[in-house]
Amino acid sequence: MVVVSGSNATTMAAELANSLGWEHHPLETRRFPDTEGYIRIPTETIDALRNEPVVVVSNTFPDSGIVETLLMLDAVQDVRQGRLQNLREIGPQTLPDVGKGVILAIPYFGYSRQDKRFKPGESISARAIAEMLATRCDGMVLLDLHAPAVLSQLSVPVAFTTAMPELAVHLKQTVSPDFILSPDKGAIDRASSVAQQIGCEFSYLEKTRIDAHTIVHKAKDLDVAGKSVAIVDDMIATGGTICRAAEALRSQGAVQVHAACSHGLFTGGAIARLLRYVDGVHATGSLPNARDLISGGPALARGVNQVMGELGLDA
Ligand code: R5P
């Protein structure tokens, strides 16, 4: 089995390949002077992609990641279906189709937030992007997707995988929290699974988002006096959610507050802002970030194995 990656998820691809004991082949990527992307599968990788199923690891964030993902899938499908015609007539021009076996693994699925139509005429972005990608692969793996329900009807098997087990192990070893807090109702399942695995107390806050930079939490008594608390969320963007939750915890006597997530977007100086409120920030490397402390490879590997099983492919 082969793992390939382009320019935006190389570390995750390497971690996945390492978890599965498979080869990792980085593809050739570059940009034309007008910024458009270029993808090429190196000659030495072509045979590997035809001999075995392949996992393409790529993020759909930022926007250029969507294009790169499509170009990689297109190039991989051409190779596997034997469409190798090229103007320089290098190598065989056509070969037999080797059949199904292209799995797309997306560590951070950009556009996951718009998963509902709030006003008539809005694009349901999460569904639009996923359906487009599903036309070019045989199965998909999505890590800690914000709200999986919107992708329940895709035309290919999808594994919704999570790095929460690895996040729990990491927190237990480095922070040893007494209490896990979900900063909103949306993160309850994820955060409570971490609390259960660690064997510590759990609670959640109710959050109202006023705008992208302003959130408020409903006041709630939390039994955190003298305790070490970790706030667990799927993603941290501006850091506003975590900072407000940390304020609530400190005001109720928490002595240590840490923030942990799968996806560290950390927009606009978020890490510096966060470190004024919390003692530590912990993330996976689903997106390249300065707090990549938790391996996302094992979670992607679980998802790939699930999809392989559903497709009837052998590892
Ligand atoms: C939203 O419900 C998500 O789970 C996160 O809580 C949110 O995206 C974090 O954003 P920010 O860091 O900008 O508050």
Side-chain angles (χ1 to χ4, degrees):
M1 297 283 302
V2 184
V3 175
V4 300
S5 59
S7 65
N8 68 29
T10 320
T11 304
M12 285 294 287
E15 285 181 13
L16 171 64
N18 188 41
S19 290
L20 293 168
W22 298 350
E23 290 173 29
H24 173 211
H25 293 240
L27 304 188
E28 183 184 337
T29 63
R30 55 186 162 85
R31 298 222 158 259
F32 290 104
D34 63 359
T35 76
E36 287 180 3
Y38 167 93
I39 285 287
R40 178 174 166 267
I41 298 170
T43 310
E44 58 277 16
T45 299
I46 288 179
D47 279 349
L49 296 194
R50 288 184 54 78
N51 289 340
E52 307 172 80
V54 54
V55 182
V56 176
V57 184
S58 190
N59 283 325
T60 55
F61 180 88
D63 286 6
S64 55
I66 298 171
V67 177
E68 188 171 295
T69 305
L70 283 169
L71 298 184
M72 280 199 287
L73 289 175
D74 210 57
V76 168
Q77 291 288 14
D78 271 357
V79 162
R80 287 184 57 87
Q81 291 169 21
R83 294 190 296 262
L84 299 169
Q85 300 92 334
N86 62 90
L87 291 178
R88 296 191 187 172
E89 298 189 343
I90 299 169
Q93 300 299 289
T94 58
L95 287 170
D97 185 339
V98 296
K100 280 192 177 188
V102 178
I103 296 171
L104 173 61
I106 307 181
Y108 178 67
F109 182 63
Y111 284 90
S112 60
R113 282 199 183 89
Q114 179 89 30
D115 61 345
K116 296 183 185 70
R117 180 174 289 130
F118 296 94
K119 298 179 197 162
E122 282 182 349
S123 160
I124 303 176
S125 316
R127 194 182 66 192
I129 302 295
E131 285 183 348
M132 182 170 62
L133 296 171
T135 63
R136 288 166 170 78
C137 63
D138 303 310
M140 289 169 61
V141 176
L142 298 159
L143 178 65
D144 282 307
L145 186 68
H146 183 59
V150 66
L151 303 188
S152 58
Q153 302 295 320
L154 284 189
S155 57
V156 297
V158 183
F160 299 105
T161 190
T162 178
M164 291 301 134
E166 288 71 32
L167 186 147
V169 169
H170 169 82
L171 284 180
K172 190 165 187 174
Q173 285 173 350
T174 60
V175 176
S176 192
D178 309 301
F179 197 106
I180 299 290
L181 182 75
S182 169
D184 54 33
K185 285 185 167 175
I188 287 178
D189 285 353
R190 268 181 259 271
S192 61
S193 72
V194 172
Q196 199 174 11
Q197 191 175 329
I198 294 175
C200 67
E201 295 172 73
F202 169 79
S203 192
Y204 66 92
L205 293 175
E206 287 182 54
K207 175 176 92 175
T208 306
R209 183 172 286 284
I210 311 296
D211 61 41
H213 295 275
T214 318
I215 64 117
V216 288
H217 282 119
K218 194 171 161 186
K220 183 173 185 180
D221 285 336
L222 300 163
D223 182 19
V224 293
K227 292 180 181 168
S228 170
V229 184
I231 308 166
V232 174
D233 208 347
D234 60 336
M235 66 177 89
I236 301 175
T238 64
T241 299
I242 297 292
C243 293
R244 298 291 77 77
E247 279 180 329
L249 289 166
R250 298 274 191 208
S251 70
Q252 296 189 43
V255 288
Q256 282 262 322
V257 179
H258 286 257
C261 65
S262 261
H263 308 302
L265 283 95
F266 303 131
T267 56
I271 292 182
R273 192 174 315 117
L274 283 161
L275 290 175
R276 294 203 293 271
Y277 292 85
V278 300
D279 301 290
V281 181
H282 314 250
T284 76
S286 65
L287 292 163
N289 72 82
R291 297 284 151 170
D292 172 5
L293 302 171
I294 303 159
S295 176
L300 282 187
R302 288 192 290 274
V304 167
N305 282 329
Q306 182 185 323
V307 171
M308 297 256 299
E310 289 179 40
L311 292 172
L313 298 170
D314 290 329

